[in-house]
């Protein structure tokens, strides 16, 4: 049995969630990290799930490595950046409303693409590479071209490159910087998993079909357009478009990580031989469970 590697790429952060007056509970989360966390539970034993990022050499970074390891995620590929540490965010609760404060602008993860040879070697060791628009925003602007070039090399070498645009305008200088980077990322991606609300907001797409056409033109081979509880619309170049209706979930309590868990369920099924419709149904099934619990990493969902 040959071992295969799924390499997720991005930033994991310390999460501090308020649990009482003056008391926070520490966790670890981040979009591509959440996807890796679910994949580690979903993929069979012949797959390794690894995480590429930037990490410090301090206690906080070691604790993150340990948490990842205990969840089945190997952070060995992460680039060590001795003088930096991991990013952090706090979840504040005001009545039922959650709000977030972030300390990530100088995190070790921002330096993940600072050693091009090291990064390219790690990417070439993987079979599947997964990254997002948040990964791309975190990579320092001066490293972004080299980062995408390394992903492109992996794709050219026959590896499957998978991208979720996850467009968060506040992480970018402006919308032009964001949309330029997203279309450059699409050029090196085999599969893309956008959410329709963002495509509508930032590109004026009038339908999921319009989103699909735009990403086909950019060079993507398979486009899966998520749409909250609505229809998922997807197409592979040269084949007919399909739609899949996610099951209706009555007791939605927190949609955090809906997209991240969808991506994990989708990838796990696809990599085990499911067809496009079957993989989408698996993604929607997992996401449908995740939205019925609080938090990003829901043990009971898998
Ligand atoms: P993102 O979190 O990336 O914005 P979406 O909101 O489009 O992604 O949701 C991703 C997937 O999660 C959807 O395709 C769907 O399968 C599932 N999902 C999201 N919200 C709901 C909901 N309210 N009810 C059922 N499924 C949902």
């Amino acid at each position: 049995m040959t071992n295969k590697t799924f390499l997720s790429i991005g930033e994991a952060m310390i999460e501090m969630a308020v649990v009482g007056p003056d008391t926070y509970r520490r966790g670890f989360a981040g979009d591509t990290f959440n996807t890796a966390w679910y994949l580690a539970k979903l993929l069979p034993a012949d797959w390794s799930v690894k995480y590429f990022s930037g990490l410090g050499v301090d206690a906080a970074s070691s604790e993150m490595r340990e948490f990842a390891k205990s969840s089945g995620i190997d952070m060995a590929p992460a680039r060590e950046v001795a003088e930096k540490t991991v990013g952090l965010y706090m979840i504040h609760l005001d009545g039922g409303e959650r709000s977030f404060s972030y300390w990530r602008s100088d995190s070790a993860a921002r330096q993940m693409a600072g050693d091009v040879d090291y990064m390219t070697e790690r990417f070439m060791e993987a079979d599947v590479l997964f990254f997002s628009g948040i990964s791309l925003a975190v990579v320092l602007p001066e490293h972004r071209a080299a980062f995408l070039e390394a992903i492109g090399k992996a794709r050219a070498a026959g590896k499957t490159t998978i991208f979720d645009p996850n467009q968060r305008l506040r992480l970018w200088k402006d919308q032009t910087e964001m949309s330029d980077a997203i279309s450059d990322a699409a050029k090196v991606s085999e599969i893309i998993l956008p959410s329709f609300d963002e495509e509508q907001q930032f590109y004026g797409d009038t339908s999921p079909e319009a989103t699909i056409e735009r990403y086909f033109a950019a060079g993507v081979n398979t486009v899966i357009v998520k749409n909250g509880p609505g229809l998922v619309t997807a197409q592979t170049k040269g084949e007919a478009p399909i739609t899949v209706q996610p099951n209706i979930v009555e007791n939605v309590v927190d949609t955090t990580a809906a997209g991240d868990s969808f991506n994990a369920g989708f990838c796990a099924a696809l990599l085990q031989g499911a067809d496009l419709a079957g993989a989408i149904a698996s993604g929607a099934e997992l996401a449908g469970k995740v939205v019925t619990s609080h938090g990003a990493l829901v043990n009971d969902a898998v």
Side-chain angles (χ1 to χ4, degrees):
M1 195 161 64
T2 47
N3 211 49
K4 293 188 271 307
T5 298
F6 187 102
L7 184 68
S8 190
I9 301 164
E11 177 171 36
M13 287 169 287
I14 293 176
E15 175 188 275
M16 304 292 276
V18 68
V19 290
D22 302 328
T23 309
Y24 288 89
R25 185 184 55 237
R26 187 205 61 184
F28 297 94
D31 66 334
T32 53
F33 186 80
N34 303 340
T35 299
W37 188 86
Y38 285 105
L39 273 166
K41 293 175 178 286
L42 292 168
L43 282 171
D46 56 335
W47 279 91
S48 303
V49 178
K50 300 190 181 185
Y51 198 69
F52 181 84
S53 186
L55 277 183
V57 292
D58 60 334
S61 301
S62 307
E63 286 168 17
M64 181 180 285
R65 264 189 209 278
E66 277 309 306
F67 174 78
K69 190 173 169 194
S70 70
S71 311
I73 305 166
D74 180 1
M75 285 191 88
R79 178 180 181 227
E80 272 187 6
V81 189
E83 68 278 15
K84 302 287 182 190
T85 188
V86 293
L88 177 149
Y89 68 99
M90 272 184 189
I91 307 175
H92 312 279
L93 267 182
D94 183 11
E97 284 296 298
R98 287 150 52 99
S99 66
F100 300 84
S101 304
Y102 289 92
W103 290 261
R104 69 191 307 186
S105 58
D106 192 33
S107 67
R110 303 217 64 191
Q111 314 272 340
M112 72 176 100
D115 180 339
V116 175
D117 291 343
Y118 176 81
M119 171 174 65
T120 307
E121 280 167 29
R122 299 293 80 74
F123 290 3
M124 295 307 258
E125 282 165 2
D127 298 278
V128 179
L129 293 87
F130 174 74
F131 69 115
S132 76
I134 296 178
S135 321
L136 208 50
V138 166
V139 167
L140 290 175
E142 62 268 30
H143 295 164
R144 257 175 226 143
F147 175 80
L148 289 177
E149 196 179 320
I151 302 260
K153 272 190 187 160
R155 187 186 186 192
K159 295 155 191 313
T160 306
T161 54
I162 308 177
F163 177 58
D164 181 339
N166 252 338
Q167 304 181 75
R168 304 288 183 269
L169 194 49
R170 65 182 154 68
L171 295 178
W172 298 89
K173 193 174 72 194
D174 54 31
Q175 197 173 318
T176 307
E177 187 195 39
M178 180 174 81
S179 52
D180 286 352
I182 298 294
S183 49
D184 288 344
K187 287 178 198 149
V188 295
S189 301
E190 180 72 15
I191 300 175
I192 194 164
L193 293 145
S195 291
F196 185 61
D197 56 347
E198 296 170 13
E199 305 303 312
Q200 204 170 23
Q201 182 185 349
F202 297 121
Y203 307 95
D205 290 354
T206 52
S207 65
E209 289 76 14
T211 303
I212 291 173
E213 283 312 317
R214 214 162 34 73
Y215 283 122
F216 276 171
V220 177
N221 199 48
T222 299
V223 186
I224 299 96
V225 187
K226 297 169 274 182
N227 198 6
L231 272 187
V232 180
T233 309
Q235 192 173 4
T236 295
K237 253 186 195 164
E239 292 174 25
I242 60 166
T243 54
V244 177
Q245 174 59 58
N247 288 331
I248 292 165
V249 180
E250 303 285 357
N251 49 335
V252 176
V253 299
D254 176 11
T255 58
T256 303
D260 306 336
S261 56
F262 177 98
N263 296 343
F266 170 83
C267 290
L270 194 76
L271 296 171
Q272 290 177 91
D275 63 10
L276 192 56
I280 291 167
S282 294
E285 192 189 339
L286 177 58
K289 290 182 194 156
V290 168
V291 297
T292 64
S293 288
H294 284 286
L297 309 179
V298 179
N299 262 307
D300 295 343
V302 190

